[in-house]
Amino acid sequence: ALIIDPSNPVDATALQNDFQAVLGELVAAYGAPSSTFERGDFAGDVVQAIDDGDLIRIAEWRTASGTLRLGIPRRLDRQVRIEVHHARSFRPPTITLWGLDAVN
């Protein structure tokens, strides 16, 4: 997993720009995503929108051993992070509580 701290996690425009920058890097490395899921807009209180499930951004690439997922997960600590994970499978994109809780 890779955790990215946005430059300004409470600024909607900055968060959108950071997400798009990471997405652009992954597209350059892996090509177009196999699937994407988007809900809501980067506007207003993005922390609350993410926590409420009103702002969802997920892009996924299928790999030989699973799925590479880029997204902005809902987190128990309400911190806004952009995360990249690779796993055999993920829950549906509307289940937004999939971010890492702790890093050791």
Side-chain angles (χ1 to χ4, degrees):
L2 172 67
I3 300 172
I4 301 154
D5 286 321
S7 58
N8 186 348
V10 298
D11 180 281
T13 301
L15 180 60
Q16 181 177 22
N17 290 341
D18 290 345
F19 181 82
Q20 289 300 112
V22 176
L23 178 61
E25 291 292 325
L26 290 170
V27 167
Y30 299 104
S34 304
S35 64
T36 60
F37 184 85
E38 297 183 356
R39 175 185 291 165
D41 296 316
F42 286 93
D45 185 345
V46 290
V47 176
Q48 190 64 50
I50 291 166
D51 197 51
D52 291 344
D54 294 332
L55 175 59
I56 301 173
R57 288 296 183 276
I58 292 178
E60 295 181 333
W61 291 261
R62 304 287 180 253
T63 69
S65 58
T67 301
L68 181 68
R69 175 182 271 190
L70 163 68
I72 305 173
R74 181 171 58 95
R75 297 169 44 98
L76 294 175
D77 62 8
R78 292 184 43 107
Q79 296 297 309
V80 175
R81 302 285 191 266
I82 298 168
E83 298 190 26
V84 180
H85 294 232
H86 187 265
R88 289 186 195 173
S89 64
F90 288 98
R91 293 168 51 183
T94 56
I95 307 297
T96 58
L97 190 58
W98 58 270
L100 291 178
D101 291 329
V103 178
N104 295 323

